[in-house]
Amino acid sequence: MQAEIITIGDEILIGQILDSNSKWVAEELNKIGVSVYQITTVQDDRLHILKAVKEAQSNADIVIITGGLGPTKDDITKLTLAEYFNDTLVLNAEIETHIQQLFAKINYPFTQVNKNQALVPSICIPLKNDFGTAPGMWFYQKNKVVVSLPGVPFEMKGLMSQSVLPKLQATFNLPFILHKTILTYGMGESMLAEKIEDWETNLPSFIRLAYLPSFGSVRLRLSAKGATMEMLSEGISKEMDKLVKLIPDIIVGFEENETIEVAIGKLLTKKKQTLSVAESCTGGNIAKIITSVPGASNYFVGGIVAYSKIIKIKELNVPEKIIAENTVVSAQTAEAMAKGIQQKYKTDYAIATTGNAGPTADDTDKTVGTVFIAIATPTTVFSEEFFFGKPREKVIGRASNKALELLRKEILKN
């Protein structure tokens, strides 16, 4: 069963807002066995909407439209759908009463503009919006469904969850879909693909593999589709067991939200150990990543952005001689920073970064993209040199992720 999503709004096309609706709708459709064929964004324009709906219906069994259902004149989706289905708008008494009650609760006048929101095409099934005034609309013709929903995210999500998804499951005989995610760290996508090539080639026909790379990590997502959930669970479990044996040293977690920062948090919490950071070229990004995890206060003590030489010396006790002899971008400086923050905050582990993120190399002899990462453990301190290229954002992202990768390996050793 295939679906297409259409989002309507000039604000999306000019970059004023991001289209988060499509992402959420696609995820929810996938959970009930509906594959999204295409996602399209169009202007608040009659001809563009008509064209998009016509093309979507020719491609897919289910069309989900969001946006353009407000009370103002530029919200034309309802009128355009009435034209598309060669229909007229009629006043729905139940929707009108619902809107009146919503306005009465907040002591707000009920005007003709508000009443007009209860006008819907006569052939549609109106979907009551418990979170706003614009109703959803369900059209069913020739075993195909078109659904129109408000663009306001919490209203759209409420209608999808309460009305649309259950109606789709009742209308169509949908297959089961199961996803499992494995997060890997420390190996590039091409090298990883080569390492697991034979395993991937021999996957059962009902299981597909997707590579989802990002800075320093690759998510492997197994997707299975079939008639019974039992068959899918058994099949994916067997394949995951095989995969774990092939790449045990680079697997960090097994769920979509099992990021490396989550994995590190669990390890430190279990061992009752603590962490601090001293960042120069990463500018606080590592601390930001670590503290994005709920409960990080249980193990993360704090950090210092030691961006200038003077802060490295005064706050982290990096000897001036080390900087004078080796520059601020060096293994010796990174290690001194790591030891300095570890001792200052009395933590079990510490991370330190120093490098040239660009666009210039400042007062060092190191190439832009060069980063030294140091890890202080309960027993030692060490550093490694990396070259992360350009641009600046890439250097910061890769350095942050590599630092977390190195830290995780050290925690696992002890």
Side-chain angles (χ1 to χ4, degrees):
M1 191 65 61
Q2 291 188 325
E4 184 162 333
I5 301 169
I6 301 173
T7 55
I8 299 171
D10 295 340
E11 66 274 15
I12 300 173
L13 293 170
I14 65 174
Q16 190 174 23
I17 65 169
L18 293 175
D19 177 22
S20 59
N21 281 357
S22 291
K23 176 182 182 296
W24 188 86
V25 171
E27 290 173 345
E28 295 305 305
L29 289 174
N30 197 265
K31 289 176 184 178
I32 65 169
V34 177
S35 300
V36 174
Y37 174 87
Q38 184 169 292
I39 297 174
T40 305
T41 301
V42 297
Q43 297 175 338
D44 289 296
D45 173 82
R46 169 182 159 274
L47 291 178
H48 284 92
I49 296 171
L50 287 172
K51 180 182 177 183
V53 176
K54 182 178 179 180
E55 290 181 357
Q57 272 212 300
S58 67
N59 295 332
D61 310 288
I62 301 163
V63 180
I64 306 291
I65 306 168
T66 70
L69 293 181
T72 56
K73 290 183 179 180
D74 64 332
D75 292 306
I76 61 170
T77 302
K78 185 165 52 179
L79 286 168
T80 306
L81 287 174
E83 178 182 348
Y84 178 80
F85 287 106
N86 194 27
D87 195 14
T88 57
L89 299 180
V90 296
L91 187 71
N92 184 279
E94 184 180 353
I95 298 298
E96 181 185 12
T97 300
H98 170 66
I99 297 172
Q100 283 180 315
Q101 290 173 345
L102 286 177
F103 278 81
K105 286 180 180 178
I106 58 174
N107 196 28
Y108 203 82
F110 181 70
T111 67
Q112 184 62 43
V113 171
N114 307 125
K115 183 175 181 177
N116 288 343
Q117 288 200 281
L119 290 169
V120 296
S122 65
I123 65 169
C124 83
I125 298 175
L127 306 175
K128 189 176 73 170
N129 182 357
D130 288 332
F131 305 94
T133 56
M137 294 175 289
W138 172 285
F139 301 87
Y140 183 76
Q141 284 187 347
K142 298 179 181 179
N143 205 36
K144 290 195 173 188
V145 168
V146 175
V147 179
S148 181
L149 302 170
V152 180
F154 72 89
E155 294 185 29
M156 178 276 295
K157 290 178 181 179
L159 279 163
M160 277 291 293
S161 300
Q162 293 181 5
S163 301
V164 179
L165 294 173
K167 282 181 72 66
L168 289 175
Q169 289 174 303
T171 303
F172 298 105
N173 183 22
L174 300 174
F176 290 95
I177 293 181
L178 181 64
H179 298 292
K180 289 293 182 180
T181 302
I182 294 176
L183 177 62
T184 70
Y185 245 82
M187 186 177 290
E189 181 184 7
S190 58
M191 188 179 297
L192 177 58
E194 184 177 348
K195 190 173 182 66
I196 64 174
E197 182 179 4
D198 290 341
W199 169 82
E200 183 180 357
T201 301
N202 292 294
L203 282 172
S205 60
F206 64 92
I207 298 179
R208 296 176 60 187
L209 174 69
Y211 293 83
L212 308 171
S214 59
F215 285 134
S217 68
V218 180
R219 290 185 185 277
L220 299 174
R221 188 185 65 216
L222 287 169
S223 301
K225 181 185 291 187
T228 68
M229 186 59 74
E230 291 76 15
M231 179 192 75
L232 304 186
S233 297
E234 182 179 350
I236 279 190
S237 292
K238 286 182 179 179
E239 295 306 321
M240 288 184 69
D241 289 343
K242 296 176 187 177
L243 184 59
V244 169
K245 292 176 182 177
L246 290 174
I247 51 172
D249 53 328
I250 63 169
I251 292 177
V252 173
F254 293 91
E255 297 300 332
E256 190 64 32
N257 60 352
E258 188 80 353
T259 59
I260 192 165
E261 56 268 26
V262 171
I264 287 172
K266 288 181 178 179
L267 286 170
L268 291 172
T269 300
K270 182 179 179 181
K271 294 173 178 286
K272 296 181 180 180
Q273 294 177 318
T274 54
L275 170 67
S276 57
V277 297
E279 301 183 64
S280 183
C281 62
T282 49
N285 193 54
I286 296 173
K288 178 183 176 182
I289 293 171
I290 292 168
T291 55
S292 69
V293 180
S297 58
N298 292 326
Y299 50 85
F300 183 65
V301 174
I304 291 176
V305 179
Y307 214 61
S308 69
K309 179 173 69 174
I310 193 66
I311 297 300
K312 292 178 176 69
I313 295 169
K314 286 190 173 183
E315 298 295 330
L316 299 175
N317 296 319
V318 177
E320 292 186 55
K321 182 179 180 181
I322 285 181
I323 294 177
E325 293 178 354
N326 303 282
T327 78
V328 291
V329 181
S330 63
Q332 293 86 348
T333 299
E335 290 175 19
M337 289 171 64
K339 287 190 290 186
I341 196 69
Q342 183 188 38
Q343 292 167 2
K344 186 180 185 75
Y345 287 161
K346 297 179 174 56
T347 58
D348 298 288
Y349 292 91
I351 297 171
T353 62
T354 183
N356 287 329
T360 63
D362 297 327
D363 297 327
T364 74
D365 59 351
K366 298 296 190 297
T367 306
V368 171
T370 301
V371 176
F372 288 89
I373 301 173
I375 305 294
T377 76
T379 58
T380 188
V381 62
F382 71 93
S383 63
E384 291 189 28
E385 180 180 0
F386 300 93
F387 179 71
F388 294 124
K390 298 178 181 179
R392 182 180 182 83
E393 294 77 13
K394 181 179 179 181
V395 175
I396 293 171
R398 285 190 167 183
S400 300
N401 283 283
K402 179 57 72 171
L404 295 175
E405 179 192 333
L406 294 176
L407 173 65
R408 176 178 173 271
K409 287 181 180 178
E410 290 306 308
I411 298 173
L412 289 171
K413 286 180 184 178
N414 296 305

